[in-house]
Coordinates of all heavy atoms in Angstrom, one line a residue:
M1 N -22.5 -16.8 -1.5 CA -23.1 -15.7 -2.1 C -22.4 -14.4 -1.7 O -22.0 -14.3 -0.6 CB -24.6 -15.7 -1.7 CG -25.3 -14.4 -1.9 SD -27.0 -14.4 -1.3 CE -27.8 -15.4 -2.5
T2 N -22.3 -13.5 -2.6 CA -21.7 -12.2 -2.3 C -22.8 -11.2 -2.1 O -24.0 -11.4 -2.4 CB -20.8 -11.7 -3.4 OG1 -21.5 -11.6 -4.6 CG2 -19.6 -12.6 -3.5
L3 N -22.5 -10.1 -1.4 CA -23.4 -9.1 -1.0 C -24.2 -8.5 -2.2 O -25.4 -8.2 -2.1 CB -22.7 -7.9 -0.3 CG -23.6 -6.8 0.2 CD1 -24.7 -7.3 1.1 CD2 -22.7 -5.8 1.0
D4 N -23.6 -8.4 -3.3 CA -24.3 -7.8 -4.5 C -25.4 -8.8 -5.0 O -26.3 -8.3 -5.7 CB -23.3 -7.5 -5.6 CG -22.6 -8.7 -6.2 OD1 -22.0 -9.4 -5.4 OD2 -22.6 -8.9 -7.4
Q5 N -25.4 -10.0 -4.6 CA -26.4 -11.0 -5.0 C -27.5 -11.2 -4.1 O -28.5 -11.8 -4.3 CB -25.7 -12.4 -5.2 CG -24.6 -12.4 -6.3 CD -23.8 -13.7 -6.3 OE1 -23.7 -14.3 -5.2 NE2 -23.2 -14.0 -7.4
L6 N -27.4 -10.6 -2.9 CA -28.4 -10.6 -1.8 C -29.6 -9.8 -2.3 O -29.4 -8.6 -2.6 CB -27.9 -10.1 -0.5 CG -28.7 -10.4 0.7 CD1 -28.8 -11.8 1.1 CD2 -28.1 -9.6 1.9
P7 N -30.8 -10.4 -2.4 CA -32.0 -9.7 -2.8 C -32.3 -8.5 -1.9 O -32.1 -8.5 -0.7 CB -33.1 -10.7 -2.8 CG -32.4 -12.1 -2.7 CD -31.1 -11.8 -2.1
K8 N -32.9 -7.5 -2.6 CA -33.3 -6.3 -1.8 C -34.3 -6.7 -0.7 O -35.2 -7.4 -1.0 CB -33.9 -5.3 -2.8 CG -34.4 -4.0 -2.2 CD -34.8 -3.1 -3.3 CE -36.2 -2.5 -3.0 NZ -36.7 -1.6 -4.0
G9 N -34.1 -6.2 0.5 CA -35.0 -6.4 1.6 C -34.7 -7.7 2.4 O -35.2 -7.9 3.4
Q10 N -33.7 -8.5 1.9 CA -33.4 -9.7 2.6 C -32.2 -9.5 3.6 O -31.2 -8.8 3.3 CB -33.0 -10.8 1.7 CG -32.8 -12.2 2.4 CD -32.7 -13.3 1.5 OE1 -32.9 -13.2 0.3 NE2 -32.4 -14.5 2.0
N11 N -32.3 -10.1 4.7 CA -31.2 -10.1 5.7 C -30.2 -11.1 5.5 O -30.5 -12.2 4.9 CB -31.8 -10.2 7.1 CG -32.6 -9.1 7.6 OD1 -32.2 -7.9 7.5 ND2 -33.8 -9.3 8.0
G12 N -29.0 -10.9 5.9 CA -27.9 -11.9 5.8 C -26.9 -11.6 6.9 O -26.9 -10.6 7.6
T13 N -25.9 -12.5 7.0 CA -24.8 -12.3 7.9 C -23.5 -12.3 7.1 O -23.3 -13.2 6.3 CB -24.8 -13.4 9.0 OG1 -26.0 -13.4 9.6 CG2 -23.7 -13.2 10.0
I14 N -22.6 -11.4 7.4 CA -21.3 -11.4 6.7 C -20.5 -12.6 7.1 O -20.3 -12.8 8.3 CB -20.6 -10.1 7.0 CG1 -21.4 -8.9 6.4 CG2 -19.2 -10.1 6.3 CD1 -20.8 -7.5 6.8
C15 N -20.0 -13.3 6.2 CA -19.1 -14.5 6.5 C -17.7 -14.2 6.3 O -16.8 -14.7 7.1 CB -19.5 -15.7 5.6 SG -21.2 -16.2 5.7
R16 N -17.4 -13.4 5.3 CA -16.0 -13.2 4.9 C -15.8 -11.9 4.1 O -16.7 -11.6 3.3 CB -15.5 -14.4 4.1 CG -14.1 -14.2 3.6 CD -13.8 -15.4 2.6 NE -12.5 -15.9 2.9 CZ -12.0 -17.0 2.5 NH1 -12.8 -17.8 1.8 NH2 -10.8 -17.4 2.8
V17 N -14.7 -11.2 4.4 CA -14.4 -10.0 3.6 C -13.2 -10.2 2.8 O -12.1 -10.5 3.4 CB -14.2 -8.7 4.5 CG1 -13.9 -7.5 3.7 CG2 -15.5 -8.5 5.3
N18 N -13.3 -10.3 1.5 CA -12.2 -10.5 0.6 C -11.5 -9.2 0.2 O -12.0 -8.2 0.6 CB -12.6 -11.3 -0.6 CG -13.2 -12.7 -0.2 OD1 -12.6 -13.4 0.7 ND2 -14.3 -13.1 -0.8
G19 N -10.6 -9.3 -0.7 CA -9.9 -8.1 -1.2 C -8.5 -8.0 -0.5 O -8.2 -8.8 0.4
E20 N -7.7 -7.1 -1.0 CA -6.4 -7.0 -0.5 C -6.0 -5.6 -0.2 O -6.6 -4.7 -0.7 CB -5.4 -7.5 -1.6 CG -5.5 -9.0 -1.9 CD -4.5 -9.4 -3.0 OE1 -3.6 -8.7 -3.3 OE2 -4.7 -10.6 -3.5
G21 N -5.1 -5.5 0.8 CA -4.6 -4.2 1.1 C -5.6 -3.2 1.6 O -6.5 -3.4 2.4
P22 N -5.5 -2.0 1.0 CA -6.3 -0.8 1.4 C -7.8 -1.1 1.2 O -8.6 -0.6 2.0 CB -5.9 0.3 0.4 CG -4.5 -0.1 0.0 CD -4.5 -1.6 0.0
L23 N -8.2 -1.8 0.1 CA -9.6 -2.1 -0.1 C -10.2 -2.9 1.1 O -11.2 -2.5 1.6 CB -9.8 -2.9 -1.4 CG -11.2 -3.5 -1.6 CD1 -12.2 -2.3 -1.7 CD2 -11.3 -4.3 -2.8
R24 N -9.5 -4.0 1.5 CA -10.0 -4.8 2.6 C -10.1 -4.0 3.9 O -11.0 -4.0 4.6 CB -9.2 -6.0 2.8 CG -9.7 -7.0 3.8 CD -8.9 -8.3 3.8 NE -9.6 -9.3 4.6 CZ -9.5 -9.4 5.9 NH1 -8.7 -8.5 6.6 NH2 -10.2 -10.3 6.6
C25 N -9.0 -3.2 4.2 CA -9.0 -2.3 5.4 C -10.1 -1.3 5.3 O -10.8 -1.1 6.4 CB -7.7 -1.6 5.5 SG -6.3 -2.7 5.9
R26 N -10.4 -0.8 4.2 CA -11.5 0.2 4.1 C -12.9 -0.4 4.4 O -13.7 0.1 5.1 CB -11.5 0.9 2.7 CG -12.5 2.0 2.6 CD -12.4 2.8 1.3 NE -12.4 1.9 0.1 CZ -13.5 1.7 -0.6 NH1 -14.7 2.1 -0.2 NH2 -13.4 0.9 -1.7
L27 N -13.1 -1.6 3.8 CA -14.3 -2.3 4.1 C -14.5 -2.7 5.5 O -15.6 -2.5 6.1 CB -14.4 -3.6 3.2 CG -14.5 -3.4 1.7 CD1 -14.4 -4.7 1.0 CD2 -15.8 -2.6 1.3
L28 N -13.5 -3.1 6.2 CA -13.5 -3.5 7.6 C -13.7 -2.2 8.4 O -14.5 -2.2 9.4 CB -12.2 -4.2 8.0 CG -12.1 -5.6 7.4 CD1 -10.7 -6.1 7.7 CD2 -13.1 -6.5 7.9
D29 N -13.1 -1.1 8.1 CA -13.2 0.2 8.8 C -14.7 0.7 8.7 O -15.1 1.4 9.6 CB -12.3 1.2 8.3 CG -10.8 1.0 8.7 OD1 -10.6 0.2 9.6 OD2 -9.9 1.6 8.1
M30 N -15.4 0.4 7.6 CA -16.8 0.8 7.5 C -17.7 0.0 8.3 O -18.9 0.2 8.3 CB -17.2 0.8 6.0 CG -16.5 1.9 5.2 SD -17.2 2.1 3.6 CE -16.7 0.6 2.8
G31 N -17.2 -1.0 9.0 CA -18.1 -1.9 9.8 C -18.5 -3.2 9.2 O -19.3 -3.9 9.7
L32 N -18.0 -3.5 8.0 CA -18.3 -4.7 7.3 C -17.4 -5.8 7.8 O -16.4 -6.2 7.2 CB -18.2 -4.5 5.8 CG -19.1 -3.4 5.2 CD1 -18.6 -3.0 3.8 CD2 -20.5 -3.9 5.2
I33 N -17.8 -6.3 9.0 CA -17.0 -7.3 9.7 C -17.7 -8.7 9.8 O -18.9 -8.7 10.0 CB -16.7 -6.8 11.2 CG1 -16.0 -5.5 11.1 CG2 -16.0 -7.8 12.0 CD1 -15.9 -4.7 12.4
P34 N -17.0 -9.8 9.6 CA -17.6 -11.1 9.7 C -18.4 -11.3 10.9 O -18.0 -10.8 12.0 CB -16.4 -12.1 9.6 CG -15.4 -11.3 8.8 CD -15.5 -9.9 9.3
G35 N -19.6 -11.8 10.8 CA -20.5 -12.1 11.9 C -21.6 -11.0 12.1 O -22.5 -11.1 12.9
T36 N -21.4 -9.9 11.3 CA -22.4 -8.8 11.4 C -23.6 -9.0 10.5 O -23.5 -9.4 9.4 CB -21.7 -7.5 11.0 OG1 -20.5 -7.3 11.8 CG2 -22.6 -6.3 11.1
R37 N -24.8 -8.7 11.1 CA -26.0 -8.8 10.3 C -26.1 -7.6 9.4 O -25.8 -6.5 9.7 CB -27.2 -8.8 11.3 CG -28.5 -9.3 10.7 CD -29.5 -9.6 11.8 NE -30.7 -10.1 11.2 CZ -31.9 -9.6 11.4 NH1 -32.0 -8.7 12.4 NH2 -32.9 -10.1 10.8
I38 N -26.6 -7.9 8.2 CA -26.7 -6.8 7.1 C -28.0 -7.0 6.3 O -28.5 -8.1 6.2 CB -25.4 -7.0 6.2 CG1 -25.2 -5.8 5.4 CG2 -25.4 -8.2 5.4 CD1 -23.9 -5.7 4.7
M39 N -28.5 -5.9 5.7 CA -29.6 -6.0 4.9 C -29.5 -5.1 3.7 O -29.0 -3.9 3.9 CB -30.9 -5.6 5.6 CG -32.1 -5.8 4.7 SD -33.7 -5.2 5.5 CE -33.5 -3.5 5.5
V40 N -29.8 -5.5 2.5 CA -29.8 -4.6 1.3 C -31.1 -3.8 1.4 O -32.2 -4.3 1.3 CB -29.7 -5.4 0.0 CG1 -29.8 -4.5 -1.2 CG2 -28.4 -6.2 -0.1
R41 N -30.9 -2.5 1.5 CA -32.1 -1.6 1.7 C -32.6 -1.1 0.3 O -33.8 -1.1 0.0 CB -31.7 -0.4 2.5 CG -32.7 0.6 2.8 CD -33.7 0.3 3.9 NE -33.1 0.3 5.2 CZ -33.7 -0.1 6.3 NH1 -35.0 -0.5 6.1 NH2 -33.2 -0.1 7.4
K42 N -31.7 -0.6 -0.5 CA -32.0 0.0 -1.8 C -31.0 -0.4 -2.9 O -29.8 -0.6 -2.6 CB -32.1 1.5 -1.8 CG -33.2 2.0 -0.8 CD -33.1 3.5 -0.9 CE -34.0 4.1 0.2 NZ -33.8 5.6 0.3
V43 N -31.4 -0.4 -4.1 CA -30.5 -0.6 -5.3 C -30.8 0.6 -6.2 O -32.0 0.8 -6.6 CB -30.7 -1.9 -6.0 CG1 -29.8 -2.1 -7.2 CG2 -30.5 -3.1 -5.0
A44 N -29.8 1.3 -6.7 CA -29.9 2.4 -7.6 C -30.6 1.9 -8.9 O -30.5 0.7 -9.3 CB -28.6 3.0 -7.9
P45 N -31.2 2.7 -9.7 CA -31.9 2.3 -10.9 C -31.1 1.6 -11.9 O -31.5 0.7 -12.5 CB -32.4 3.6 -11.5 CG -32.6 4.5 -10.3 CD -31.5 4.2 -9.4
M46 N -29.8 1.9 -12.0 CA -28.9 1.3 -13.0 C -28.2 0.1 -12.3 O -27.3 -0.5 -12.9 CB -27.9 2.3 -13.5 CG -28.6 3.4 -14.3 SD -29.4 2.8 -15.8 CE -28.0 2.5 -16.9
G47 N -28.5 -0.2 -11.0 CA -27.9 -1.3 -10.3 C -26.7 -1.0 -9.5 O -26.1 -1.9 -8.8
D48 N -26.1 0.2 -9.6 CA -24.9 0.6 -8.9 C -25.0 2.0 -8.5 O -25.3 2.9 -9.3 CB -23.7 0.4 -9.8 CG -22.4 0.4 -9.0 OD1 -22.4 0.3 -7.8 OD2 -21.4 0.5 -9.7
P49 N -24.9 2.4 -7.2 CA -24.5 1.6 -6.0 C -25.7 1.0 -5.3 O -26.8 1.1 -5.8 CB -23.8 2.7 -5.1 CG -24.6 3.9 -5.4 CD -25.0 3.8 -6.9
I50 N -25.4 0.3 -4.2 CA -26.5 -0.3 -3.4 C -26.4 0.3 -2.0 O -25.3 0.7 -1.5 CB -26.4 -1.8 -3.3 CG1 -25.1 -2.3 -2.7 CG2 -26.6 -2.5 -4.7 CD1 -25.0 -3.8 -2.5
E51 N -27.5 0.4 -1.3 CA -27.6 0.9 0.0 C -27.9 -0.2 0.9 O -28.8 -1.0 0.7 CB -28.7 2.0 0.2 CG -28.7 2.6 1.6 CD -29.8 3.7 1.6 OE1 -29.6 4.7 1.0 OE2 -30.8 3.4 2.3
I52 N -27.1 -0.4 2.0 CA -27.2 -1.4 2.9 C -27.5 -0.9 4.3 O -27.1 0.3 4.6 CB -26.0 -2.4 3.0 CG1 -24.7 -1.6 3.3 CG2 -25.9 -3.1 1.7 CD1 -23.5 -2.5 3.5
H53 N -28.2 -1.7 5.2 CA -28.4 -1.3 6.5 C -27.5 -2.2 7.4 O -27.6 -3.4 7.3 CB -29.9 -1.5 6.9 CG -30.2 -1.1 8.3 ND1 -30.4 0.2 8.7 CD2 -30.4 -1.9 9.4 CE1 -30.6 0.2 10.0 NE2 -30.6 -1.1 10.4
I54 N -26.7 -1.6 8.2 CA -25.7 -2.4 9.0 C -25.5 -1.6 10.3 O -25.3 -0.4 10.3 CB -24.4 -2.6 8.2 CG1 -23.4 -3.5 9.0 CG2 -23.8 -1.3 7.8 CD1 -22.2 -4.0 8.3
R55 N -25.5 -2.3 11.4 CA -25.2 -1.7 12.7 C -26.0 -0.5 13.0 O -25.5 0.5 13.6 CB -23.7 -1.4 12.8 CG -22.9 -2.7 12.7 CD -21.4 -2.3 12.8 NE -20.6 -3.5 12.7 CZ -20.2 -4.2 13.8 NH1 -20.4 -3.8 15.0 NH2 -19.4 -5.3 13.6
G56 N -27.3 -0.4 12.5 CA -28.1 0.8 12.8 C -28.0 2.0 11.9 O -28.5 3.0 12.2
Y57 N -27.2 1.9 10.9 CA -27.0 3.0 10.0 C -27.1 2.5 8.5 O -27.0 1.3 8.2 CB -25.8 3.8 10.2 CG -24.5 3.1 10.0 CD1 -23.8 3.2 8.7 CD2 -23.9 2.3 10.9 CE1 -22.6 2.6 8.5 CE2 -22.7 1.6 10.7 CZ -22.1 1.8 9.4 OH -20.9 1.1 9.2
E58 N -27.3 3.5 7.6 CA -27.3 3.2 6.2 C -25.9 3.5 5.6 O -25.3 4.5 5.9 CB -28.4 4.0 5.5 CG -29.7 4.1 6.1 CD -30.4 2.8 6.4 OE1 -30.2 1.9 5.6 OE2 -30.9 2.6 7.5
L59 N -25.5 2.6 4.7 CA -24.2 2.7 4.1 C -24.4 2.4 2.6 O -25.0 1.4 2.2 CB -23.2 1.7 4.7 CG -21.8 1.6 4.1 CD1 -21.1 2.9 4.4 CD2 -21.1 0.5 4.7
T60 N -23.8 3.3 1.7 CA -23.9 3.1 0.3 C -22.6 2.7 -0.2 O -21.6 3.3 0.1 CB -24.4 4.4 -0.4 OG1 -25.7 4.7 0.2 CG2 -24.6 4.2 -1.9
I61 N -22.5 1.5 -0.9 CA -21.3 1.0 -1.5 C -21.4 0.7 -3.0 O -22.5 0.4 -3.4 CB -20.7 -0.1 -0.7 CG1 -21.6 -1.3 -0.7 CG2 -20.4 0.3 0.7 CD1 -21.0 -2.6 -0.1
R62 N -20.3 0.6 -3.7 CA -20.3 0.2 -5.1 C -20.5 -1.3 -5.2 O -20.1 -2.0 -4.3 CB -19.0 0.6 -5.7 CG -18.8 2.1 -5.8 CD -17.5 2.5 -6.4 NE -16.4 2.0 -5.4 CZ -15.2 2.3 -5.5 NH1 -14.7 3.1 -6.5 NH2 -14.3 1.8 -4.7
V63 N -21.1 -1.7 -6.3 CA -21.3 -3.1 -6.5 C -19.9 -3.9 -6.6 O -19.8 -5.0 -6.0 CB -22.1 -3.4 -7.8 CG1 -22.1 -4.8 -8.2 CG2 -23.5 -2.9 -7.6
A64 N -18.9 -3.2 -7.1 CA -17.6 -3.8 -7.2 C -17.0 -4.1 -5.8 O -16.4 -5.1 -5.6 CB -16.6 -2.9 -8.0
D65 N -17.3 -3.3 -4.9 CA -16.9 -3.5 -3.5 C -17.8 -4.6 -2.8 O -17.3 -5.4 -2.1 CB -17.0 -2.2 -2.6 CG -15.9 -1.2 -3.1 OD1 -14.9 -1.6 -3.8 OD2 -16.1 0.0 -2.8
A66 N -19.0 -4.6 -3.1 CA -20.0 -5.6 -2.6 C -19.6 -7.0 -3.0 O -19.9 -7.9 -2.3 CB -21.4 -5.2 -2.9
Q67 N -19.0 -7.1 -4.2 CA -18.6 -8.4 -4.7 C -17.5 -9.0 -3.8 O -17.2 -10.2 -3.9 CB -18.2 -8.3 -6.1 CG -19.4 -8.0 -7.0 CD -18.9 -7.7 -8.5 OE1 -17.8 -7.4 -8.7 NE2 -19.9 -7.7 -9.4
N68 N -16.8 -8.3 -3.0 CA -15.8 -8.8 -2.1 C -16.3 -9.2 -0.8 O -15.5 -9.6 0.1 CB -14.7 -7.7 -1.9 CG -13.9 -7.5 -3.2 OD1 -13.3 -8.4 -3.7 ND2 -13.9 -6.3 -3.7
I69 N -17.6 -9.1 -0.5 CA -18.2 -9.4 0.8 C -19.0 -10.7 0.6 O -20.1 -10.6 0.0 CB -19.0 -8.2 1.3 CG1 -18.1 -7.0 1.4 CG2 -19.6 -8.6 2.7 CD1 -18.8 -5.7 1.6
E70 N -18.6 -11.7 1.3 CA -19.4 -13.0 1.2 C -20.4 -13.0 2.4 O -20.1 -12.6 3.5 CB -18.5 -14.2 1.4 CG -17.6 -14.4 0.2 CD -16.7 -15.6 0.3 OE1 -17.0 -16.5 1.0 OE2 -15.6 -15.5 -0.3
V71 N -21.7 -13.3 2.0 CA -22.8 -13.3 3.0 C -23.5 -14.6 3.0 O -23.5 -15.3 2.0 CB -23.8 -12.2 2.8 CG1 -23.1 -10.8 3.0 CG2 -24.4 -12.2 1.5
E72 N -24.1 -14.9 4.2 CA -25.0 -16.1 4.3 C -26.4 -15.6 4.5 O -26.7 -14.9 5.5 CB -24.6 -16.9 5.5 CG -25.4 -18.2 5.7 CD -25.2 -19.2 4.7 OE1 -24.1 -19.3 4.1 OE2 -26.2 -19.9 4.3
P73 N -27.3 -15.8 3.5 CA -28.7 -15.2 3.6 C -29.4 -15.9 4.8 O -29.2 -17.1 5.1 CB -29.3 -15.5 2.3 CG -28.5 -16.6 1.7 CD -27.1 -16.5 2.3
E74 N -30.3 -15.2 5.4 CA -31.2 -15.7 6.4 C -32.4 -16.3 5.8 O -33.0 -15.7 4.9 CB -31.6 -14.7 7.5 CG -30.4 -14.2 8.3 CD -30.8 -13.2 9.3 OE1 -32.0 -12.9 9.5 OE2 -29.9 -12.6 10.0
D75 N -32.8 -17.5 6.1 CA -33.9 -18.2 5.5 C -35.2 -17.5 5.9 O -35.4 -17.2 7.1 CB -33.9 -19.7 6.0 CG -32.7 -20.5 5.5 OD1 -32.2 -20.1 4.4 OD2 -32.3 -21.4 6.1
G76 N -36.1 -17.4 4.9 CA -37.4 -16.9 5.1 C -37.5 -15.4 5.5 O -38.6 -14.9 5.8
E77 N -36.4 -14.7 5.5 CA -36.4 -13.3 5.9 C -36.5 -12.4 4.6 O -35.7 -12.4 3.7 CB -35.1 -12.9 6.6 CG -35.0 -13.5 8.0 CD -35.9 -12.7 9.0 OE1 -36.0 -11.5 8.9 OE2 -36.4 -13.4 9.9
A78 N -37.6 -11.6 4.6 CA -37.7 -10.6 3.5 C -38.6 -9.5 4.0 O -39.7 -9.7 4.5 CB -38.3 -11.2 2.3
E79 N -38.0 -8.3 4.0 CA -38.8 -7.1 4.5 C -39.4 -6.4 3.3 O -38.8 -6.2 2.3 CB -37.8 -6.1 5.2 CG -38.5 -5.0 5.8 CD -37.5 -4.1 6.6 OE1 -36.8 -4.6 7.5 OE2 -37.3 -3.0 6.1
R80 N -40.7 -6.2 3.3 CA -41.4 -5.6 2.2 C -42.0 -4.3 2.6 O -42.5 -4.0 3.5 CB -42.4 -6.6 1.7 CG -41.7 -7.8 1.1 CD -42.7 -8.8 0.6 NE -41.9 -10.0 0.5 CZ -41.7 -10.7 -0.5 NH1 -42.2 -10.3 -1.7 NH2 -41.0 -11.8 -0.5

C-alpha cells in the first residue's frame, strides 16, 4: 500500500521510498525514511495535498509524492 492509500487517522510504518534522483533524495531529506512510523493527519477537500504526522511534526506533501512511499498499515489503529 502507498501512503496516499492510508486512511486518514491510521498509523503505518514506511517500508520503502521509491522514486529516482532528486525526488527520492528530497523525500528522504524530509524524514520519510524506511522504518519510521507515520500517520495521515488531514486530507485537503479536493484530495491533494495530504498532511502527515511524522517524527513529532506535521508535514504536507502532494499525493503524487505520497504515491512513491510504500507503507505497512498498523492493525486496529485508528485515531478519531
Side-chain angles (χ1 to χ4, degrees):
M1 156 184 290
T2 57
L3 180 55
D4 64 307
Q5 299 168 333
L6 192 66
K8 183 174 132 182
Q10 185 169 354
N11 291 309
T13 303
I14 298 174
C15 299
R16 176 188 224 165
V17 178
N18 298 319
E20 295 181 10
L23 171 63
R24 186 171 191 277
C25 288
R26 184 170 57 90
L27 294 172
L28 293 170
D29 287 345
M30 288 190 291
L32 299 165
I33 299 170
T36 305
R37 194 165 183 231
I38 194 168
M39 181 184 73
V40 175
R41 179 83 69 190
K42 297 178 187 174
V43 178
M46 298 294 285
D48 193 14
I50 61 174
E51 182 178 292
I52 58 174
H53 180 79
I54 183 170
R55 300 178 179 263
Y57 67 94
E58 313 306 321
L59 178 66
T60 303
I61 62 173
R62 296 177 293 193
V63 170
D65 292 340
Q67 292 171 343
N68 288 302
I69 302 164
E70 294 180 24
V71 297
E72 180 69 34
E74 292 182 7
D75 295 329
E77 289 282 327
E79 188 176 295
R80 296 179 198 241

